[in-house]
Amino acid sequence: MANFITMGEPLVVFASQDSDISLDKSLHFQKFLAGAELNVAIGMHRLGHETMYVSKVGDDILGKFIVDSIKEIGLDSSNLLIDNQFFTGFYFKQKVSKGDPKVYYYRKDSAASNIHSKEIDPSKIKEVKVAHLTGIMAALSETSLQTLKDFNEELNAHQILTIFDPNLRPALWESTEKMINVTNDLARNSAIVLPGINEGKILMGSSDPEKIADFYLNQSKLTHTVIVKLGAEGAFVKLQSGENYYVPGFKVQEVVDTVGAGDGFAVGLESALLEGKPLNIAVHRACAIGALAVQSAGDSEGYPNREQLSEFYKRQNYQGDL
Ligand code: KDG
């Protein structure tokens, strides 16, 4: 039975292989699984954790690709629904030699944006200890927002550790104001909040990691820890007790693609917490998997298995997470 759970929209990404060429002109694409929460689920499974992925796809070729891949990987798909009324979302990703790739989504009114709480079987979450939630489901539609809220409530009722990544997708929201209000409101219902430094700026107006952390700690009694992701610089951690510290990032040889790094960060943190590691070690692992993620082209292809993680630690001369 799964001890880790996440819910989100699975996507197929067509990643351009033609560097710095706009997507309308690109001719060569590689097809990968994508979707922030699915990336996290794959990463958790790769590290040996039984993972349930909750979602809905259309009864179409991309849905089939996703369902077949998820089954082949070995995720628990007992709450993965197929609906012939809706299509499966996908996106195109431009390859860039510098910075973040441009992305174009085709996901409005997709199957996942039409998932209802009553379609999810809650009896399957009995053994779950840690859950990963993001603001993406909230951005897709009023239906998926409600489903996310109900899901969050169910997790909290079962005293499951909830971890919320805002994962801002401005292109999916009808207004910035709504994105900010809904996202901050959702964060209130999680024990750990994981804003990126740039997201913090948008969501509460400051680029100071400590101010961002204080904002989330002060707005809810449920939130006991905030971890602000600082990209290559690592992360800033602050607890409800006031204790706070920085965790440095790991060195990266070559950045191939930054998409999926935040999800990799979550995989590191959540896998280590599930294994009972102390928080500071979990944040080191988060930084390690974030660093590994940016060194490959797919969204989740860079996430390591156990062996690859220890090899990475060896190369970096890091012995804290043994
Ligand atoms: O975090 C990675 C995601 O950005 C990608 O896999 C797909 O944009 C995406 C999304 O919204 O899930």
Side-chain angles (χ1 to χ4, degrees), residues 9 11 13 33-37 39 91 93 103 105 107 136 140 167 169 172 259-263 299-300 303:
E9 172 166 44
L11 297 168
V13 57
L33 282 181
E37 306 80 2
N39 295 340
Y91 83 103
K93 180 164 69 172
V103 295
Y105 295 125
R107 62 199 296 190
I136 299 175
L140 299 177
N167 245 327
R169 298 283 180 273
L172 303 180
V259 179
D263 305 330
D299 289 9
S300 62
Y303 304 164

PDB file of all heavy atoms in Angstrom, residues 9 11 13 33-37 39 91 93 103 105 107 136 140 167 169 172 259-263 299-300 303, ligand 1:
ATOM      1  N   GLU A   9      -2.200  17.062 -12.576  1.00  0.00           N
ATOM      2  CA  GLU A   9      -2.517  16.838 -13.985  1.00  0.00           C
ATOM      3  C   GLU A   9      -1.311  16.238 -14.706  1.00  0.00           C
ATOM      4  O   GLU A   9      -0.256  16.872 -14.790  1.00  0.00           O
ATOM      5  CB  GLU A   9      -2.900  18.146 -14.682  1.00  0.00           C
ATOM      6  CG  GLU A   9      -3.029  17.922 -16.193  1.00  0.00           C
ATOM      7  CD  GLU A   9      -3.719  19.041 -16.936  1.00  0.00           C
ATOM      8  OE1 GLU A   9      -3.423  20.209 -16.666  1.00  0.00           O
ATOM      9  OE2 GLU A   9      -4.555  18.722 -17.792  1.00  0.00           O
ATOM     10  N   LEU A  11       0.777  15.334 -17.958  1.00  0.00           N
ATOM     11  CA  LEU A  11       0.867  15.919 -19.299  1.00  0.00           C
ATOM     12  C   LEU A  11       1.843  15.095 -20.115  1.00  0.00           C
ATOM     13  O   LEU A  11       2.694  14.394 -19.560  1.00  0.00           O
ATOM     14  CB  LEU A  11       1.404  17.354 -19.220  1.00  0.00           C
ATOM     15  CG  LEU A  11       0.562  18.389 -18.471  1.00  0.00           C
ATOM     16  CD1 LEU A  11       1.384  19.653 -18.235  1.00  0.00           C
ATOM     17  CD2 LEU A  11      -0.706  18.728 -19.239  1.00  0.00           C
ATOM     18  N   VAL A  13       4.855  15.945 -22.656  1.00  0.00           N
ATOM     19  CA  VAL A  13       5.611  17.092 -23.167  1.00  0.00           C
ATOM     20  C   VAL A  13       6.328  16.687 -24.448  1.00  0.00           C
ATOM     21  O   VAL A  13       6.917  15.603 -24.534  1.00  0.00           O
ATOM     22  CB  VAL A  13       6.620  17.658 -22.127  1.00  0.00           C
ATOM     23  CG1 VAL A  13       7.605  16.633 -21.621  1.00  0.00           C
ATOM     24  CG2 VAL A  13       7.375  18.860 -22.701  1.00  0.00           C
ATOM     25  N   LEU A  33       6.927  11.996 -20.428  1.00  0.00           N
ATOM     26  CA  LEU A  33       5.865  12.208 -19.433  1.00  0.00           C
ATOM     27  C   LEU A  33       6.155  13.519 -18.725  1.00  0.00           C
ATOM     28  O   LEU A  33       7.316  13.851 -18.491  1.00  0.00           O
ATOM     29  CB  LEU A  33       5.912  11.124 -18.358  1.00  0.00           C
ATOM     30  CG  LEU A  33       5.347   9.751 -18.651  1.00  0.00           C
ATOM     31  CD1 LEU A  33       5.517   8.896 -17.406  1.00  0.00           C
ATOM     32  CD2 LEU A  33       3.879   9.830 -19.053  1.00  0.00           C
ATOM     33  N   ALA A  34       5.107  14.238 -18.309  1.00  0.00           N
ATOM     34  CA  ALA A  34       5.320  15.476 -17.561  1.00  0.00           C
ATOM     35  C   ALA A  34       4.128  15.745 -16.652  1.00  0.00           C
ATOM     36  O   ALA A  34       3.220  14.924 -16.526  1.00  0.00           O
ATOM     37  CB  ALA A  34       5.555  16.639 -18.513  1.00  0.00           C
ATOM     38  N   GLY A  35       4.162  16.937 -16.074  1.00  0.00           N
ATOM     39  CA  GLY A  35       3.145  17.304 -15.086  1.00  0.00           C
ATOM     40  C   GLY A  35       3.857  17.302 -13.742  1.00  0.00           C
ATOM     41  O   GLY A  35       4.432  16.281 -13.333  1.00  0.00           O
ATOM     42  N   ALA A  36       3.830  18.456 -13.069  1.00  0.00           N
ATOM     43  CA  ALA A  36       4.646  18.634 -11.874  1.00  0.00           C
ATOM     44  C   ALA A  36       4.467  17.508 -10.842  1.00  0.00           C
ATOM     45  O   ALA A  36       5.443  16.948 -10.346  1.00  0.00           O
ATOM     46  CB  ALA A  36       4.306  19.977 -11.246  1.00  0.00           C
ATOM     47  N   GLU A  37       3.222  17.171 -10.535  1.00  0.00           N
ATOM     48  CA  GLU A  37       2.994  16.185  -9.469  1.00  0.00           C
ATOM     49  C   GLU A  37       3.362  14.775  -9.937  1.00  0.00           C
ATOM     50  O   GLU A  37       3.804  13.949  -9.138  1.00  0.00           O
ATOM     51  CB  GLU A  37       1.533  16.229  -8.992  1.00  0.00           C
ATOM     52  CG  GLU A  37       1.046  17.611  -8.555  1.00  0.00           C
ATOM     53  CD  GLU A  37       0.653  18.504  -9.720  1.00  0.00           C
ATOM     54  OE1 GLU A  37       0.718  18.064 -10.884  1.00  0.00           O
ATOM     55  OE2 GLU A  37       0.290  19.674  -9.464  1.00  0.00           O
ATOM     56  N   ASN A  39       5.783  14.201 -11.981  1.00  0.00           N
ATOM     57  CA  ASN A  39       7.242  14.190 -11.857  1.00  0.00           C
ATOM     58  C   ASN A  39       7.638  13.773 -10.438  1.00  0.00           C
ATOM     59  O   ASN A  39       8.523  12.934 -10.233  1.00  0.00           O
ATOM     60  CB  ASN A  39       7.828  15.587 -12.114  1.00  0.00           C
ATOM     61  CG  ASN A  39       7.619  16.061 -13.540  1.00  0.00           C
ATOM     62  OD1 ASN A  39       7.382  15.271 -14.436  1.00  0.00           O
ATOM     63  ND2 ASN A  39       7.696  17.370 -13.746  1.00  0.00           N
ATOM     64  N   TYR A  91       1.963  19.598 -23.625  1.00  0.00           N
ATOM     65  CA  TYR A  91       2.612  20.893 -23.873  1.00  0.00           C
ATOM     66  C   TYR A  91       3.878  20.738 -24.694  1.00  0.00           C
ATOM     67  O   TYR A  91       4.405  19.631 -24.839  1.00  0.00           O
ATOM     68  CB  TYR A  91       2.840  21.647 -22.563  1.00  0.00           C
ATOM     69  CG  TYR A  91       4.058  21.339 -21.712  1.00  0.00           C
ATOM     70  CD1 TYR A  91       5.157  22.207 -21.711  1.00  0.00           C
ATOM     71  CD2 TYR A  91       4.113  20.235 -20.869  1.00  0.00           C
ATOM     72  CE1 TYR A  91       6.257  21.981 -20.890  1.00  0.00           C
ATOM     73  CE2 TYR A  91       5.213  20.002 -20.054  1.00  0.00           C
ATOM     74  CZ  TYR A  91       6.280  20.881 -20.070  1.00  0.00           C
ATOM     75  OH  TYR A  91       7.366  20.653 -19.266  1.00  0.00           O
ATOM     76  N   LYS A  93       7.815  22.245 -25.268  1.00  0.00           N
ATOM     77  CA  LYS A  93       8.872  22.928 -24.516  1.00  0.00           C
ATOM     78  C   LYS A  93      10.024  23.263 -25.463  1.00  0.00           C
ATOM     79  O   LYS A  93      10.515  22.387 -26.174  1.00  0.00           O
ATOM     80  CB  LYS A  93       9.350  21.998 -23.392  1.00  0.00           C
ATOM     81  CG  LYS A  93      10.449  22.571 -22.535  1.00  0.00           C
ATOM     82  CD  LYS A  93      10.605  21.804 -21.225  1.00  0.00           C
ATOM     83  CE  LYS A  93      11.139  20.402 -21.370  1.00  0.00           C
ATOM     84  NZ  LYS A  93      11.453  19.790 -20.079  1.00  0.00           N
ATOM     85  N   VAL A 103       7.369  27.556 -22.701  1.00  0.00           N
ATOM     86  CA  VAL A 103       6.444  26.421 -22.763  1.00  0.00           C
ATOM     87  C   VAL A 103       5.095  26.877 -23.305  1.00  0.00           C
ATOM     88  O   VAL A 103       4.680  28.010 -23.083  1.00  0.00           O
ATOM     89  CB  VAL A 103       6.236  25.766 -21.368  1.00  0.00           C
ATOM     90  CG1 VAL A 103       7.516  25.155 -20.853  1.00  0.00           C
ATOM     91  CG2 VAL A 103       5.672  26.747 -20.352  1.00  0.00           C
ATOM     92  N   TYR A 105       1.137  25.477 -23.396  1.00  0.00           N
ATOM     93  CA  TYR A 105       0.231  24.450 -22.880  1.00  0.00           C
ATOM     94  C   TYR A 105      -0.990  24.235 -23.762  1.00  0.00           C
ATOM     95  O   TYR A 105      -1.542  25.192 -24.311  1.00  0.00           O
ATOM     96  CB  TYR A 105      -0.300  24.864 -21.504  1.00  0.00           C
ATOM     97  CG  TYR A 105       0.746  24.955 -20.426  1.00  0.00           C
ATOM     98  CD1 TYR A 105       0.911  26.124 -19.690  1.00  0.00           C
ATOM     99  CD2 TYR A 105       1.553  23.862 -20.114  1.00  0.00           C
ATOM    100  CE1 TYR A 105       1.859  26.213 -18.674  1.00  0.00           C
ATOM    101  CE2 TYR A 105       2.496  23.948 -19.109  1.00  0.00           C
ATOM    102  CZ  TYR A 105       2.646  25.123 -18.396  1.00  0.00           C
ATOM    103  OH  TYR A 105       3.576  25.204 -17.396  1.00  0.00           O
ATOM    104  N   ARG A 107      -4.135  22.477 -22.485  1.00  0.00           N
ATOM    105  CA  ARG A 107      -4.684  21.746 -21.338  1.00  0.00           C
ATOM    106  C   ARG A 107      -6.009  22.316 -20.835  1.00  0.00           C
ATOM    107  O   ARG A 107      -6.536  21.824 -19.859  1.00  0.00           O
ATOM    108  CB  ARG A 107      -3.631  21.702 -20.217  1.00  0.00           C
ATOM    109  CG  ARG A 107      -3.236  23.054 -19.687  1.00  0.00           C
ATOM    110  CD  ARG A 107      -1.910  23.042 -18.930  1.00  0.00           C
ATOM    111  NE  ARG A 107      -1.906  22.242 -17.735  1.00  0.00           N
ATOM    112  CZ  ARG A 107      -0.902  22.258 -16.832  1.00  0.00           C
ATOM    113  NH1 ARG A 107       0.154  23.039 -17.035  1.00  0.00           N
ATOM    114  NH2 ARG A 107      -0.939  21.497 -15.777  1.00  0.00           N
ATOM    115  N   ILE A 136      -1.155  23.952  -8.898  1.00  0.00           N
ATOM    116  CA  ILE A 136      -1.529  23.806 -10.318  1.00  0.00           C
ATOM    117  C   ILE A 136      -2.982  23.355 -10.461  1.00  0.00           C
ATOM    118  O   ILE A 136      -3.735  23.915 -11.264  1.00  0.00           O
ATOM    119  CB  ILE A 136      -0.573  22.842 -11.051  1.00  0.00           C
ATOM    120  CG1 ILE A 136       0.853  23.390 -10.993  1.00  0.00           C
ATOM    121  CG2 ILE A 136      -1.004  22.674 -12.515  1.00  0.00           C
ATOM    122  CD1 ILE A 136       1.911  22.482 -11.572  1.00  0.00           C
ATOM    123  N   LEU A 140      -6.345  25.140 -12.720  1.00  0.00           N
ATOM    124  CA  LEU A 140      -6.943  24.532 -13.917  1.00  0.00           C
ATOM    125  C   LEU A 140      -8.423  24.871 -14.082  1.00  0.00           C
ATOM    126  O   LEU A 140      -8.867  25.216 -15.171  1.00  0.00           O
ATOM    127  CB  LEU A 140      -6.768  23.004 -13.879  1.00  0.00           C
ATOM    128  CG  LEU A 140      -5.331  22.476 -13.864  1.00  0.00           C
ATOM    129  CD1 LEU A 140      -5.341  20.955 -13.761  1.00  0.00           C
ATOM    130  CD2 LEU A 140      -4.584  22.925 -15.109  1.00  0.00           C
ATOM    131  N   ASN A 167       3.947  26.269  -6.995  1.00  0.00           N
ATOM    132  CA  ASN A 167       4.058  25.945  -8.417  1.00  0.00           C
ATOM    133  C   ASN A 167       3.255  26.909  -9.284  1.00  0.00           C
ATOM    134  O   ASN A 167       2.354  26.491 -10.033  1.00  0.00           O
ATOM    135  CB  ASN A 167       3.559  24.513  -8.659  1.00  0.00           C
ATOM    136  CG  ASN A 167       4.685  23.618  -9.123  1.00  0.00           C
ATOM    137  OD1 ASN A 167       5.588  24.063  -9.822  1.00  0.00           O
ATOM    138  ND2 ASN A 167       4.628  22.358  -8.746  1.00  0.00           N
ATOM    139  N   ARG A 169       1.683  28.997 -12.060  1.00  0.00           N
ATOM    140  CA  ARG A 169       1.570  28.909 -13.523  1.00  0.00           C
ATOM    141  C   ARG A 169       0.710  30.087 -13.975  1.00  0.00           C
ATOM    142  O   ARG A 169      -0.478  29.926 -14.261  1.00  0.00           O
ATOM    143  CB  ARG A 169       0.885  27.603 -13.949  1.00  0.00           C
ATOM    144  CG  ARG A 169       1.607  26.330 -13.568  1.00  0.00           C
ATOM    145  CD  ARG A 169       2.799  26.078 -14.496  1.00  0.00           C
ATOM    146  NE  ARG A 169       3.481  24.855 -14.124  1.00  0.00           N
ATOM    147  CZ  ARG A 169       4.438  24.767 -13.210  1.00  0.00           C
ATOM    148  NH1 ARG A 169       4.826  25.842 -12.547  1.00  0.00           N
ATOM    149  NH2 ARG A 169       5.016  23.604 -12.955  1.00  0.00           N
ATOM    150  N   LEU A 172      -2.070  29.962 -16.539  1.00  0.00           N
ATOM    151  CA  LEU A 172      -3.295  29.187 -16.327  1.00  0.00           C
ATOM    152  C   LEU A 172      -4.359  29.930 -15.511  1.00  0.00           C
ATOM    153  O   LEU A 172      -5.477  29.468 -15.391  1.00  0.00           O
ATOM    154  CB  LEU A 172      -2.975  27.868 -15.611  1.00  0.00           C
ATOM    155  CG  LEU A 172      -1.971  26.925 -16.272  1.00  0.00           C
ATOM    156  CD1 LEU A 172      -1.794  25.680 -15.432  1.00  0.00           C
ATOM    157  CD2 LEU A 172      -2.440  26.548 -17.674  1.00  0.00           C
ATOM    158  N   VAL A 259      13.348  22.967 -16.191  1.00  0.00           N
ATOM    159  CA  VAL A 259      11.983  22.500 -15.870  1.00  0.00           C
ATOM    160  C   VAL A 259      12.059  21.171 -15.106  1.00  0.00           C
ATOM    161  O   VAL A 259      12.758  20.259 -15.520  1.00  0.00           O
ATOM    162  CB  VAL A 259      11.129  22.341 -17.149  1.00  0.00           C
ATOM    163  CG1 VAL A 259       9.727  21.828 -16.811  1.00  0.00           C
ATOM    164  CG2 VAL A 259      11.031  23.670 -17.882  1.00  0.00           C
ATOM    165  N   GLY A 260      11.344  21.101 -13.996  1.00  0.00           N
ATOM    166  CA  GLY A 260      11.349  19.859 -13.215  1.00  0.00           C
ATOM    167  C   GLY A 260      12.302  19.930 -12.025  1.00  0.00           C
ATOM    168  O   GLY A 260      12.316  19.026 -11.187  1.00  0.00           O
ATOM    169  N   ALA A 261      13.080  21.017 -11.929  1.00  0.00           N
ATOM    170  CA  ALA A 261      14.031  21.113 -10.811  1.00  0.00           C
ATOM    171  C   ALA A 261      13.300  21.288  -9.479  1.00  0.00           C
ATOM    172  O   ALA A 261      13.663  20.678  -8.472  1.00  0.00           O
ATOM    173  CB  ALA A 261      14.986  22.274 -11.042  1.00  0.00           C
ATOM    174  N   GLY A 262      12.247  22.109  -9.472  1.00  0.00           N
ATOM    175  CA  GLY A 262      11.469  22.321  -8.245  1.00  0.00           C
ATOM    176  C   GLY A 262      10.805  21.031  -7.795  1.00  0.00           C
ATOM    177  O   GLY A 262      10.724  20.744  -6.592  1.00  0.00           O
ATOM    178  N   ASP A 263      10.335  20.252  -8.753  1.00  0.00           N
ATOM    179  CA  ASP A 263       9.709  18.963  -8.402  1.00  0.00           C
ATOM    180  C   ASP A 263      10.777  18.016  -7.854  1.00  0.00           C
ATOM    181  O   ASP A 263      10.523  17.246  -6.928  1.00  0.00           O
ATOM    182  CB  ASP A 263       9.035  18.332  -9.627  1.00  0.00           C
ATOM    183  CG  ASP A 263       8.028  19.271 -10.268  1.00  0.00           C
ATOM    184  OD1 ASP A 263       7.444  20.086  -9.533  1.00  0.00           O
ATOM    185  OD2 ASP A 263       7.849  19.214 -11.489  1.00  0.00           O
ATOM    186  N   ASP A 299      11.462  16.184 -18.026  1.00  0.00           N
ATOM    187  CA  ASP A 299      11.104  16.850 -16.771  1.00  0.00           C
ATOM    188  C   ASP A 299      11.505  16.023 -15.557  1.00  0.00           C
ATOM    189  O   ASP A 299      11.820  16.568 -14.500  1.00  0.00           O
ATOM    190  CB  ASP A 299       9.587  17.106 -16.733  1.00  0.00           C
ATOM    191  CG  ASP A 299       9.201  18.204 -17.718  1.00  0.00           C
ATOM    192  OD1 ASP A 299      10.070  18.614 -18.502  1.00  0.00           O
ATOM    193  OD2 ASP A 299       8.045  18.631 -17.704  1.00  0.00           O
ATOM    194  N   SER A 300      11.458  14.695 -15.673  1.00  0.00           N
ATOM    195  CA  SER A 300      11.762  13.851 -14.510  1.00  0.00           C
ATOM    196  C   SER A 300      12.925  12.889 -14.779  1.00  0.00           C
ATOM    197  O   SER A 300      13.310  12.132 -13.904  1.00  0.00           O
ATOM    198  CB  SER A 300      10.516  13.037 -14.121  1.00  0.00           C
ATOM    199  OG  SER A 300      10.155  12.184 -15.189  1.00  0.00           O
ATOM    200  N   TYR A 303      15.963  12.577 -12.278  1.00  0.00           N
ATOM    201  CA  TYR A 303      15.824  12.169 -10.874  1.00  0.00           C
ATOM    202  C   TYR A 303      16.531  10.823 -10.665  1.00  0.00           C
ATOM    203  O   TYR A 303      16.396   9.908 -11.466  1.00  0.00           O
ATOM    204  CB  TYR A 303      14.357  12.025 -10.467  1.00  0.00           C
ATOM    205  CG  TYR A 303      13.508  13.264 -10.678  1.00  0.00           C
ATOM    206  CD1 TYR A 303      12.129  13.183 -10.675  1.00  0.00           C
ATOM    207  CD2 TYR A 303      14.088  14.517 -10.885  1.00  0.00           C
ATOM    208  CE1 TYR A 303      11.331  14.311 -10.871  1.00  0.00           C
ATOM    209  CE2 TYR A 303      13.311  15.642 -11.088  1.00  0.00           C
ATOM    210  CZ  TYR A 303      11.932  15.532 -11.085  1.00  0.00           C
ATOM    211  OH  TYR A 303      11.155  16.634 -11.289  1.00  0.00           O
TER     212      TYR A 303
HETATM  213  O1  KDG B   1       7.345  21.394 -12.834  1.00  0.00           O
HETATM  214  C1  KDG B   1       7.445  20.749 -14.080  1.00  0.00           C
HETATM  215  C2  KDG B   1       6.244  21.089 -14.835  1.00  0.00           C
HETATM  216  O2  KDG B   1       6.379  22.433 -15.164  1.00  0.00           O
HETATM  217  C3  KDG B   1       6.016  20.345 -16.117  1.00  0.00           C
HETATM  218  O3  KDG B   1       6.265  18.970 -16.023  1.00  0.00           O
HETATM  219  C4  KDG B   1       4.625  20.525 -16.614  1.00  0.00           C
HETATM  220  O4  KDG B   1       4.189  22.824 -16.481  1.00  0.00           O
HETATM  221  C5  KDG B   1       3.902  21.722 -16.140  1.00  0.00           C
HETATM  222  C6  KDG B   1       2.817  21.590 -15.172  1.00  0.00           C
HETATM  223  O5  KDG B   1       2.092  22.576 -15.018  1.00  0.00           O
HETATM  224  O6  KDG B   1       2.640  20.548 -14.572  1.00  0.00           O
END
